[in-house]
Amino acid sequence: MTGALFAAAVAAGSLSLPATARAAIPSTSCQPGGVTTADTAIARGLRSSMTGKRMGRSVNGYNISCARSIVRQVLSRGLPARAAVIAVTTAIAESTLHNYTLAVDHDSLGLFQQRPSMGWGRPEQLLDPGFATDAFLNKMIRLYPGNGWMAGDIGQISQRVQVSGYPAAYSPEANDARLIVGQLWTSSVAVTPNAKQATPKESTPKESTSKKPTGPFSKSLLKAVPGLPAAFDDRHQVLLADWNGDGHADLVVVEQSGTASGATEVRVMSGANNFQNLLLHTAIPMGPTDARYVFSMADWNFDGRFDLVVTQKSGTASGHTEVRVLDGASYLRRYLQETITPLGPTGDCHAFTAADWNADGRPDMAVVQKCGTASGHTEVRVLDGASNLQRYLQESATPLGKTDARHTFSVADWNGDLNLDLVVTQKSGPKSNETVLRVLDGASQFRGFLLKKSTAKVSTDDRHSLAVVDWNRDGRLDLVVVQKWGMAGGRTEARILAG
């Protein structure tokens, strides 16, 4: 290491270092036998697909060998692949998958840049990839009990564990981590494991990867009246998001018109106390809105805060469907982005939801066309967030026929395979007490079912908003039913049924 590079490294700390300075920091092997030909081949095969800011297309066999150590440790604990993706995402951001032996950011060492002075372990332990991975996983599991880490933004989970001064550093690496883990997940099972390694004293039971949410959503997890002064009505859109980063899904209520301010207003009710406490009440910089507007929540700029995504389907100056994003860090008072999409005007046949479809750290927009398609089936198009919603990531005709206003669409990784799936809820209507759930497989581009039909014994109609979320953090998605009006007490009621 040259004197200049060493000085830059010490001054900057590993997360803020330029690539040339990072390359000069001493590191040690992650595997007893060093880099294998298989590691080099995997790096070569992945290089053209890597999109991350930290390592990206500079990935090499040494990086893969370090990722293999992480994946192997996750496998040895019986944890699902998502745990490996979170850990590898973190290690890419922290060390570009280098087992650094020299502390340049305070006393941080190893793959995860963990600090002995902060209780992560002794210096020699933190240079052991198995120990370091276990230390990371142990803290993640403590912070997200009941498998809470199985859902939510990977970058936010990494940041909560690491408490970094650079919270936006993690999300852009999730796509690369997913690609790497996808290559190593099965091959690492066959690799002879390392000699038994020391692990932190805290141990955790193995978690089954076989749990799949199948319903029938018969057990009630929550029945609550949100702590708001009046019932909702058809001017209100209801969303769920962990607004304050406490691991609980909060209730986001968008009041589109008839507000005291004359603007569209947003309230957020805390999920930690069953929607009784108000976390936010703000008027956003938009006048009254109506049925042409659809709202969703996503961390658009990967700063660890949920932003409000507003899709205007028709009536725009451009004649196209337009998307505006309000910054969560400004309490929804400032725009992050205003985009004219390639879609013409859309209407009742279209549903919209924002999610990071290709795990590149940028939320994308899924557009579900329920009727009026050339195929006669419900179709899905995904607009790429990295292109400012200008190009399509995929266009698919699903096995669902025509759908209508009774159907609600949301995205979630239903089966834990690291692909976002499309969850379709069908309201029962007045003549039935069964709400139907179906899940289309993201790995097949929604051409196949993961769940063809599951029923919840609950009657739903136009008064109800439906969503899925892992409310009790058991790794299974639960059904959220919000009845906006028509209750005996004249108040809005939220029910959550266990998946």
Side-chain angles (χ1 to χ4, degrees), residues 33-70:
V35 179
T36 67
T37 55
D39 295 328
T40 302
I42 288 172
R44 188 183 306 116
L46 289 177
R47 198 164 287 142
S48 63
S49 302
M50 302 286 271
T51 59
K53 295 181 177 180
R54 296 279 291 163
M55 183 174 64
R57 296 188 178 187
S58 66
V59 63
N60 57 36
Y62 171 74
N63 304 139
I64 298 298
S65 73
C66 290
R68 189 187 295 281
S69 294
I70 295 171

PDB file of all heavy atoms in Angstrom, residues 33-70:
ATOM      1  N   GLY A  33      -8.574 -23.363   1.654  1.00  0.00           N
ATOM      2  CA  GLY A  33      -7.842 -23.688   0.437  1.00  0.00           C
ATOM      3  C   GLY A  33      -7.711 -22.538  -0.533  1.00  0.00           C
ATOM      4  O   GLY A  33      -7.223 -22.720  -1.654  1.00  0.00           O
ATOM      5  N   GLY A  34      -8.168 -21.359  -0.132  1.00  0.00           N
ATOM      6  CA  GLY A  34      -8.087 -20.203  -1.009  1.00  0.00           C
ATOM      7  C   GLY A  34      -9.155 -20.226  -2.091  1.00  0.00           C
ATOM      8  O   GLY A  34     -10.185 -20.894  -1.981  1.00  0.00           O
ATOM      9  N   VAL A  35      -8.895 -19.518  -3.160  1.00  0.00           N
ATOM     10  CA  VAL A  35      -9.850 -19.376  -4.261  1.00  0.00           C
ATOM     11  C   VAL A  35      -9.803 -20.617  -5.141  1.00  0.00           C
ATOM     12  O   VAL A  35      -8.726 -21.077  -5.529  1.00  0.00           O
ATOM     13  CB  VAL A  35      -9.527 -18.123  -5.093  1.00  0.00           C
ATOM     14  CG1 VAL A  35     -10.506 -17.973  -6.255  1.00  0.00           C
ATOM     15  CG2 VAL A  35      -9.549 -16.881  -4.208  1.00  0.00           C
ATOM     16  N   THR A  36     -10.966 -21.158  -5.473  1.00  0.00           N
ATOM     17  CA  THR A  36     -11.037 -22.343  -6.327  1.00  0.00           C
ATOM     18  C   THR A  36     -11.324 -21.940  -7.770  1.00  0.00           C
ATOM     19  O   THR A  36     -11.745 -20.810  -8.054  1.00  0.00           O
ATOM     20  CB  THR A  36     -12.147 -23.292  -5.846  1.00  0.00           C
ATOM     21  OG1 THR A  36     -13.422 -22.653  -6.042  1.00  0.00           O
ATOM     22  CG2 THR A  36     -11.976 -23.637  -4.370  1.00  0.00           C
ATOM     23  N   THR A  37     -11.119 -22.881  -8.681  1.00  0.00           N
ATOM     24  CA  THR A  37     -11.460 -22.614 -10.083  1.00  0.00           C
ATOM     25  C   THR A  37     -12.964 -22.384 -10.237  1.00  0.00           C
ATOM     26  O   THR A  37     -13.400 -21.610 -11.095  1.00  0.00           O
ATOM     27  CB  THR A  37     -11.021 -23.785 -10.974  1.00  0.00           C
ATOM     28  OG1 THR A  37     -11.596 -25.002 -10.477  1.00  0.00           O
ATOM     29  CG2 THR A  37      -9.506 -23.912 -10.991  1.00  0.00           C
ATOM     30  N   ALA A  38     -13.759 -23.052  -9.381  1.00  0.00           N
ATOM     31  CA  ALA A  38     -15.217 -22.843  -9.425  1.00  0.00           C
ATOM     32  C   ALA A  38     -15.566 -21.411  -9.029  1.00  0.00           C
ATOM     33  O   ALA A  38     -16.457 -20.791  -9.631  1.00  0.00           O
ATOM     34  CB  ALA A  38     -15.919 -23.832  -8.501  1.00  0.00           C
ATOM     35  N   ASP A  39     -14.876 -20.868  -8.025  1.00  0.00           N
ATOM     36  CA  ASP A  39     -15.116 -19.480  -7.618  1.00  0.00           C
ATOM     37  C   ASP A  39     -14.830 -18.524  -8.776  1.00  0.00           C
ATOM     38  O   ASP A  39     -15.606 -17.603  -9.054  1.00  0.00           O
ATOM     39  CB  ASP A  39     -14.227 -19.112  -6.427  1.00  0.00           C
ATOM     40  CG  ASP A  39     -14.556 -19.892  -5.169  1.00  0.00           C
ATOM     41  OD1 ASP A  39     -15.736 -20.235  -4.977  1.00  0.00           O
ATOM     42  OD2 ASP A  39     -13.629 -20.159  -4.383  1.00  0.00           O
ATOM     43  N   THR A  40     -13.714 -18.752  -9.439  1.00  0.00           N
ATOM     44  CA  THR A  40     -13.334 -17.885 -10.560  1.00  0.00           C
ATOM     45  C   THR A  40     -14.335 -17.998 -11.703  1.00  0.00           C
ATOM     46  O   THR A  40     -14.703 -16.991 -12.327  1.00  0.00           O
ATOM     47  CB  THR A  40     -11.926 -18.253 -11.047  1.00  0.00           C
ATOM     48  OG1 THR A  40     -11.003 -18.120  -9.953  1.00  0.00           O
ATOM     49  CG2 THR A  40     -11.484 -17.354 -12.187  1.00  0.00           C
ATOM     50  N   ALA A  41     -14.805 -19.213 -11.962  1.00  0.00           N
ATOM     51  CA  ALA A  41     -15.776 -19.418 -13.040  1.00  0.00           C
ATOM     52  C   ALA A  41     -17.103 -18.734 -12.724  1.00  0.00           C
ATOM     53  O   ALA A  41     -17.738 -18.135 -13.609  1.00  0.00           O
ATOM     54  CB  ALA A  41     -15.990 -20.913 -13.273  1.00  0.00           C
ATOM     55  N   ILE A  42     -17.541 -18.812 -11.467  1.00  0.00           N
ATOM     56  CA  ILE A  42     -18.792 -18.153 -11.081  1.00  0.00           C
ATOM     57  C   ILE A  42     -18.659 -16.642 -11.245  1.00  0.00           C
ATOM     58  O   ILE A  42     -19.560 -15.975 -11.766  1.00  0.00           O
ATOM     59  CB  ILE A  42     -19.169 -18.531  -9.637  1.00  0.00           C
ATOM     60  CG1 ILE A  42     -19.638 -19.987  -9.577  1.00  0.00           C
ATOM     61  CG2 ILE A  42     -20.261 -17.601  -9.096  1.00  0.00           C
ATOM     62  CD1 ILE A  42     -19.843 -20.516  -8.178  1.00  0.00           C
ATOM     63  N   ALA A  43     -17.535 -16.089 -10.814  1.00  0.00           N
ATOM     64  CA  ALA A  43     -17.320 -14.644 -10.957  1.00  0.00           C
ATOM     65  C   ALA A  43     -17.368 -14.233 -12.422  1.00  0.00           C
ATOM     66  O   ALA A  43     -17.996 -13.231 -12.784  1.00  0.00           O
ATOM     67  CB  ALA A  43     -15.982 -14.252 -10.336  1.00  0.00           C
ATOM     68  N   ARG A  44     -16.726 -15.021 -13.270  1.00  0.00           N
ATOM     69  CA  ARG A  44     -16.701 -14.701 -14.697  1.00  0.00           C
ATOM     70  C   ARG A  44     -18.115 -14.758 -15.281  1.00  0.00           C
ATOM     71  O   ARG A  44     -18.506 -13.905 -16.083  1.00  0.00           O
ATOM     72  CB  ARG A  44     -15.785 -15.681 -15.430  1.00  0.00           C
ATOM     73  CG  ARG A  44     -15.539 -15.325 -16.896  1.00  0.00           C
ATOM     74  CD  ARG A  44     -14.686 -16.378 -17.592  1.00  0.00           C
ATOM     75  NE  ARG A  44     -13.446 -16.629 -16.880  1.00  0.00           N
ATOM     76  CZ  ARG A  44     -13.118 -17.781 -16.311  1.00  0.00           C
ATOM     77  NH1 ARG A  44     -13.957 -18.816 -16.371  1.00  0.00           N
ATOM     78  NH2 ARG A  44     -11.976 -17.931 -15.678  1.00  0.00           N
ATOM     79  N   GLY A  45     -18.886 -15.746 -14.861  1.00  0.00           N
ATOM     80  CA  GLY A  45     -20.232 -15.895 -15.391  1.00  0.00           C
ATOM     81  C   GLY A  45     -21.194 -14.810 -14.930  1.00  0.00           C
ATOM     82  O   GLY A  45     -22.132 -14.459 -15.647  1.00  0.00           O
ATOM     83  N   LEU A  46     -20.967 -14.276 -13.729  1.00  0.00           N
ATOM     84  CA  LEU A  46     -21.868 -13.267 -13.179  1.00  0.00           C
ATOM     85  C   LEU A  46     -21.508 -11.844 -13.591  1.00  0.00           C
ATOM     86  O   LEU A  46     -22.346 -10.943 -13.527  1.00  0.00           O
ATOM     87  CB  LEU A  46     -21.862 -13.338 -11.645  1.00  0.00           C
ATOM     88  CG  LEU A  46     -22.527 -14.540 -10.990  1.00  0.00           C
ATOM     89  CD1 LEU A  46     -22.342 -14.471  -9.474  1.00  0.00           C
ATOM     90  CD2 LEU A  46     -24.013 -14.581 -11.323  1.00  0.00           C
ATOM     91  N   ARG A  47     -20.289 -11.632 -14.005  1.00  0.00           N
ATOM     92  CA  ARG A  47     -19.746 -10.276 -14.129  1.00  0.00           C
ATOM     93  C   ARG A  47     -20.632  -9.351 -14.963  1.00  0.00           C
ATOM     94  O   ARG A  47     -20.902  -8.215 -14.580  1.00  0.00           O
ATOM     95  CB  ARG A  47     -18.339 -10.360 -14.722  1.00  0.00           C
ATOM     96  CG  ARG A  47     -17.500  -9.119 -14.508  1.00  0.00           C
ATOM     97  CD  ARG A  47     -16.033  -9.438 -14.769  1.00  0.00           C
ATOM     98  NE  ARG A  47     -15.456 -10.248 -13.709  1.00  0.00           N
ATOM     99  CZ  ARG A  47     -14.579 -11.241 -13.898  1.00  0.00           C
ATOM    100  NH1 ARG A  47     -14.194 -11.555 -15.126  1.00  0.00           N
ATOM    101  NH2 ARG A  47     -14.104 -11.909 -12.870  1.00  0.00           N
ATOM    102  N   SER A  48     -21.114  -9.821 -16.082  1.00  0.00           N
ATOM    103  CA  SER A  48     -21.878  -8.938 -16.973  1.00  0.00           C
ATOM    104  C   SER A  48     -23.242  -8.566 -16.409  1.00  0.00           C
ATOM    105  O   SER A  48     -23.860  -7.599 -16.859  1.00  0.00           O
ATOM    106  CB  SER A  48     -22.061  -9.607 -18.343  1.00  0.00           C
ATOM    107  OG  SER A  48     -22.827 -10.794 -18.215  1.00  0.00           O
ATOM    108  N   SER A  49     -23.717  -9.321 -15.404  1.00  0.00           N
ATOM    109  CA  SER A  49     -25.043  -9.058 -14.828  1.00  0.00           C
ATOM    110  C   SER A  49     -24.989  -8.228 -13.557  1.00  0.00           C
ATOM    111  O   SER A  49     -26.033  -7.816 -13.049  1.00  0.00           O
ATOM    112  CB  SER A  49     -25.746 -10.393 -14.512  1.00  0.00           C
ATOM    113  OG  SER A  49     -25.873 -11.185 -15.669  1.00  0.00           O
ATOM    114  N   MET A  50     -23.804  -7.979 -13.048  1.00  0.00           N
ATOM    115  CA  MET A  50     -23.671  -7.281 -11.770  1.00  0.00           C
ATOM    116  C   MET A  50     -23.908  -5.786 -11.956  1.00  0.00           C
ATOM    117  O   MET A  50     -23.404  -5.175 -12.903  1.00  0.00           O
ATOM    118  CB  MET A  50     -22.291  -7.529 -11.174  1.00  0.00           C
ATOM    119  CG  MET A  50     -21.968  -9.009 -10.963  1.00  0.00           C
ATOM    120  SD  MET A  50     -22.832  -9.747  -9.578  1.00  0.00           S
ATOM    121  CE  MET A  50     -21.671  -9.395  -8.272  1.00  0.00           C
ATOM    122  N   THR A  51     -24.675  -5.195 -11.042  1.00  0.00           N
ATOM    123  CA  THR A  51     -25.075  -3.792 -11.193  1.00  0.00           C
ATOM    124  C   THR A  51     -24.743  -2.932  -9.976  1.00  0.00           C
ATOM    125  O   THR A  51     -25.047  -1.743  -9.969  1.00  0.00           O
ATOM    126  CB  THR A  51     -26.591  -3.705 -11.433  1.00  0.00           C
ATOM    127  OG1 THR A  51     -27.280  -4.310 -10.323  1.00  0.00           O
ATOM    128  CG2 THR A  51     -26.986  -4.408 -12.723  1.00  0.00           C
ATOM    129  N   GLY A  52     -24.157  -3.503  -8.945  1.00  0.00           N
ATOM    130  CA  GLY A  52     -23.935  -2.771  -7.701  1.00  0.00           C
ATOM    131  C   GLY A  52     -22.910  -1.658  -7.835  1.00  0.00           C
ATOM    132  O   GLY A  52     -22.085  -1.636  -8.755  1.00  0.00           O
ATOM    133  N   LYS A  53     -22.962  -0.736  -6.888  1.00  0.00           N
ATOM    134  CA  LYS A  53     -22.059   0.414  -6.904  1.00  0.00           C
ATOM    135  C   LYS A  53     -20.699   0.091  -6.292  1.00  0.00           C
ATOM    136  O   LYS A  53     -19.692   0.702  -6.633  1.00  0.00           O
ATOM    137  CB  LYS A  53     -22.690   1.579  -6.136  1.00  0.00           C
ATOM    138  CG  LYS A  53     -23.958   2.129  -6.770  1.00  0.00           C
ATOM    139  CD  LYS A  53     -24.499   3.298  -5.963  1.00  0.00           C
ATOM    140  CE  LYS A  53     -25.726   3.902  -6.620  1.00  0.00           C
ATOM    141  NZ  LYS A  53     -26.265   5.048  -5.841  1.00  0.00           N
ATOM    142  N   ARG A  54     -20.658  -0.855  -5.358  1.00  0.00           N
ATOM    143  CA  ARG A  54     -19.426  -1.095  -4.609  1.00  0.00           C
ATOM    144  C   ARG A  54     -18.479  -2.048  -5.328  1.00  0.00           C
ATOM    145  O   ARG A  54     -17.296  -1.790  -5.431  1.00  0.00           O
ATOM    146  CB  ARG A  54     -19.776  -1.665  -3.231  1.00  0.00           C
ATOM    147  CG  ARG A  54     -20.564  -0.719  -2.359  1.00  0.00           C
ATOM    148  CD  ARG A  54     -19.672   0.284  -1.681  1.00  0.00           C
ATOM    149  NE  ARG A  54     -18.832  -0.354  -0.682  1.00  0.00           N
ATOM    150  CZ  ARG A  54     -17.748   0.204  -0.163  1.00  0.00           C
ATOM    151  NH1 ARG A  54     -17.360   1.387  -0.576  1.00  0.00           N
ATOM    152  NH2 ARG A  54     -17.040  -0.427   0.749  1.00  0.00           N
ATOM    153  N   MET A  55     -19.013  -3.148  -5.805  1.00  0.00           N
ATOM    154  CA  MET A  55     -18.177  -4.171  -6.425  1.00  0.00           C
ATOM    155  C   MET A  55     -18.554  -4.347  -7.886  1.00  0.00           C
ATOM    156  O   MET A  55     -17.716  -4.250  -8.776  1.00  0.00           O
ATOM    157  CB  MET A  55     -18.342  -5.489  -5.663  1.00  0.00           C
ATOM    158  CG  MET A  55     -17.488  -6.631  -6.155  1.00  0.00           C
ATOM    159  SD  MET A  55     -17.662  -8.063  -5.059  1.00  0.00           S
ATOM    160  CE  MET A  55     -19.403  -8.452  -5.305  1.00  0.00           C
ATOM    161  N   GLY A  56     -19.832  -4.604  -8.144  1.00  0.00           N
ATOM    162  CA  GLY A  56     -20.337  -4.671  -9.505  1.00  0.00           C
ATOM    163  C   GLY A  56     -19.548  -5.610 -10.389  1.00  0.00           C
ATOM    164  O   GLY A  56     -19.245  -6.744 -10.017  1.00  0.00           O
ATOM    165  N   ARG A  57     -19.162  -5.125 -11.560  1.00  0.00           N
ATOM    166  CA  ARG A  57     -18.513  -5.978 -12.556  1.00  0.00           C
ATOM    167  C   ARG A  57     -17.039  -6.233 -12.279  1.00  0.00           C
ATOM    168  O   ARG A  57     -16.369  -6.912 -13.061  1.00  0.00           O
ATOM    169  CB  ARG A  57     -18.695  -5.364 -13.948  1.00  0.00           C
ATOM    170  CG  ARG A  57     -20.157  -5.321 -14.366  1.00  0.00           C
ATOM    171  CD  ARG A  57     -20.349  -4.897 -15.796  1.00  0.00           C
ATOM    172  NE  ARG A  57     -21.766  -4.918 -16.146  1.00  0.00           N
ATOM    173  CZ  ARG A  57     -22.237  -4.721 -17.360  1.00  0.00           C
ATOM    174  NH1 ARG A  57     -21.395  -4.479 -18.365  1.00  0.00           N
ATOM    175  NH2 ARG A  57     -23.533  -4.760 -17.601  1.00  0.00           N
ATOM    176  N   SER A  58     -16.533  -5.714 -11.175  1.00  0.00           N
ATOM    177  CA  SER A  58     -15.159  -6.040 -10.784  1.00  0.00           C
ATOM    178  C   SER A  58     -15.096  -7.315  -9.947  1.00  0.00           C
ATOM    179  O   SER A  58     -14.030  -7.691  -9.460  1.00  0.00           O
ATOM    180  CB  SER A  58     -14.544  -4.879  -9.994  1.00  0.00           C
ATOM    181  OG  SER A  58     -15.210  -4.708  -8.753  1.00  0.00           O
ATOM    182  N   VAL A  59     -16.230  -7.997  -9.775  1.00  0.00           N
ATOM    183  CA  VAL A  59     -16.267  -9.219  -8.967  1.00  0.00           C
ATOM    184  C   VAL A  59     -15.235 -10.223  -9.467  1.00  0.00           C
ATOM    185  O   VAL A  59     -15.032 -10.397 -10.668  1.00  0.00           O
ATOM    186  CB  VAL A  59     -17.689  -9.828  -8.977  1.00  0.00           C
ATOM    187  CG1 VAL A  59     -18.115 -10.259 -10.368  1.00  0.00           C
ATOM    188  CG2 VAL A  59     -17.788 -10.992  -8.000  1.00  0.00           C
ATOM    189  N   ASN A  60     -14.566 -10.882  -8.520  1.00  0.00           N
ATOM    190  CA  ASN A  60     -13.551 -11.870  -8.892  1.00  0.00           C
ATOM    191  C   ASN A  60     -13.703 -13.122  -8.034  1.00  0.00           C
ATOM    192  O   ASN A  60     -14.586 -13.211  -7.170  1.00  0.00           O
ATOM    193  CB  ASN A  60     -12.145 -11.276  -8.765  1.00  0.00           C
ATOM    194  CG  ASN A  60     -11.851 -10.758  -7.361  1.00  0.00           C
ATOM    195  OD1 ASN A  60     -12.286 -11.347  -6.370  1.00  0.00           O
ATOM    196  ND2 ASN A  60     -11.115  -9.661  -7.263  1.00  0.00           N
ATOM    197  N   GLY A  61     -12.856 -14.079  -8.286  1.00  0.00           N
ATOM    198  CA  GLY A  61     -12.944 -15.351  -7.580  1.00  0.00           C
ATOM    199  C   GLY A  61     -12.770 -15.217  -6.081  1.00  0.00           C
ATOM    200  O   GLY A  61     -13.404 -15.948  -5.307  1.00  0.00           O
ATOM    201  N   TYR A  62     -11.903 -14.299  -5.649  1.00  0.00           N
ATOM    202  CA  TYR A  62     -11.718 -14.096  -4.212  1.00  0.00           C
ATOM    203  C   TYR A  62     -13.016 -13.622  -3.568  1.00  0.00           C
ATOM    204  O   TYR A  62     -13.406 -14.104  -2.495  1.00  0.00           O
ATOM    205  CB  TYR A  62     -10.602 -13.082  -3.965  1.00  0.00           C
ATOM    206  CG  TYR A  62     -10.487 -12.665  -2.515  1.00  0.00           C
ATOM    207  CD1 TYR A  62      -9.937 -13.519  -1.566  1.00  0.00           C
ATOM    208  CD2 TYR A  62     -10.942 -11.421  -2.098  1.00  0.00           C
ATOM    209  CE1 TYR A  62      -9.848 -13.139  -0.235  1.00  0.00           C
ATOM    210  CE2 TYR A  62     -10.855 -11.035  -0.782  1.00  0.00           C
ATOM    211  CZ  TYR A  62     -10.309 -11.894   0.152  1.00  0.00           C
ATOM    212  OH  TYR A  62     -10.229 -11.521   1.467  1.00  0.00           O
ATOM    213  N   ASN A  63     -13.700 -12.674  -4.201  1.00  0.00           N
ATOM    214  CA  ASN A  63     -14.980 -12.201  -3.665  1.00  0.00           C
ATOM    215  C   ASN A  63     -15.973 -13.351  -3.531  1.00  0.00           C
ATOM    216  O   ASN A  63     -16.676 -13.469  -2.520  1.00  0.00           O
ATOM    217  CB  ASN A  63     -15.588 -11.135  -4.572  1.00  0.00           C
ATOM    218  CG  ASN A  63     -14.689  -9.957  -4.838  1.00  0.00           C
ATOM    219  OD1 ASN A  63     -14.623  -9.473  -5.969  1.00  0.00           O
ATOM    220  ND2 ASN A  63     -13.969  -9.480  -3.835  1.00  0.00           N
ATOM    221  N   ILE A  64     -16.037 -14.192  -4.549  1.00  0.00           N
ATOM    222  CA  ILE A  64     -16.968 -15.325  -4.512  1.00  0.00           C
ATOM    223  C   ILE A  64     -16.584 -16.298  -3.402  1.00  0.00           C
ATOM    224  O   ILE A  64     -17.452 -16.850  -2.710  1.00  0.00           O
ATOM    225  CB  ILE A  64     -17.012 -16.040  -5.874  1.00  0.00           C
ATOM    226  CG1 ILE A  64     -17.517 -15.085  -6.964  1.00  0.00           C
ATOM    227  CG2 ILE A  64     -17.887 -17.287  -5.810  1.00  0.00           C
ATOM    228  CD1 ILE A  64     -18.922 -14.563  -6.756  1.00  0.00           C
ATOM    229  N   SER A  65     -15.291 -16.505  -3.189  1.00  0.00           N
ATOM    230  CA  SER A  65     -14.874 -17.420  -2.118  1.00  0.00           C
ATOM    231  C   SER A  65     -15.313 -16.896  -0.757  1.00  0.00           C
ATOM    232  O   SER A  65     -15.683 -17.675   0.131  1.00  0.00           O
ATOM    233  CB  SER A  65     -13.355 -17.622  -2.154  1.00  0.00           C
ATOM    234  OG  SER A  65     -12.658 -16.474  -1.686  1.00  0.00           O
ATOM    235  N   CYS A  66     -15.288 -15.577  -0.584  1.00  0.00           N
ATOM    236  CA  CYS A  66     -15.742 -14.994   0.683  1.00  0.00           C
ATOM    237  C   CYS A  66     -17.258 -15.112   0.817  1.00  0.00           C
ATOM    238  O   CYS A  66     -17.775 -15.402   1.904  1.00  0.00           O
ATOM    239  CB  CYS A  66     -15.298 -13.540   0.775  1.00  0.00           C
ATOM    240  SG  CYS A  66     -13.510 -13.341   1.004  1.00  0.00           S
ATOM    241  N   ALA A  67     -17.966 -14.893  -0.289  1.00  0.00           N
ATOM    242  CA  ALA A  67     -19.421 -15.074  -0.250  1.00  0.00           C
ATOM    243  C   ALA A  67     -19.769 -16.524   0.054  1.00  0.00           C
ATOM    244  O   ALA A  67     -20.742 -16.805   0.770  1.00  0.00           O
ATOM    245  CB  ALA A  67     -20.032 -14.648  -1.581  1.00  0.00           C
ATOM    246  N   ARG A  68     -18.971 -17.449  -0.471  1.00  0.00           N
ATOM    247  CA  ARG A  68     -19.229 -18.869  -0.211  1.00  0.00           C
ATOM    248  C   ARG A  68     -19.139 -19.173   1.288  1.00  0.00           C
ATOM    249  O   ARG A  68     -19.927 -19.966   1.825  1.00  0.00           O
ATOM    250  CB  ARG A  68     -18.240 -19.742  -0.986  1.00  0.00           C
ATOM    251  CG  ARG A  68     -18.591 -21.222  -0.937  1.00  0.00           C
ATOM    252  CD  ARG A  68     -17.504 -22.074  -1.571  1.00  0.00           C
ATOM    253  NE  ARG A  68     -17.345 -21.831  -2.998  1.00  0.00           N
ATOM    254  CZ  ARG A  68     -18.140 -22.340  -3.932  1.00  0.00           C
ATOM    255  NH1 ARG A  68     -19.154 -23.103  -3.591  1.00  0.00           N
ATOM    256  NH2 ARG A  68     -17.917 -22.079  -5.205  1.00  0.00           N
ATOM    257  N   SER A  69     -18.206 -18.539   1.979  1.00  0.00           N
ATOM    258  CA  SER A  69     -18.087 -18.742   3.425  1.00  0.00           C
ATOM    259  C   SER A  69     -19.347 -18.280   4.149  1.00  0.00           C
ATOM    260  O   SER A  69     -19.812 -18.929   5.092  1.00  0.00           O
ATOM    261  CB  SER A  69     -16.876 -17.973   3.969  1.00  0.00           C
ATOM    262  OG  SER A  69     -15.672 -18.491   3.461  1.00  0.00           O
ATOM    263  N   ILE A  70     -19.891 -17.153   3.711  1.00  0.00           N
ATOM    264  CA  ILE A  70     -21.116 -16.634   4.324  1.00  0.00           C
ATOM    265  C   ILE A  70     -22.284 -17.578   4.055  1.00  0.00           C
ATOM    266  O   ILE A  70     -23.038 -17.941   4.965  1.00  0.00           O
ATOM    267  CB  ILE A  70     -21.415 -15.222   3.783  1.00  0.00           C
ATOM    268  CG1 ILE A  70     -20.322 -14.240   4.219  1.00  0.00           C
ATOM    269  CG2 ILE A  70     -22.788 -14.748   4.248  1.00  0.00           C
ATOM    270  CD1 ILE A  70     -20.427 -12.870   3.560  1.00  0.00           C
TER     271      ILE A  70
END
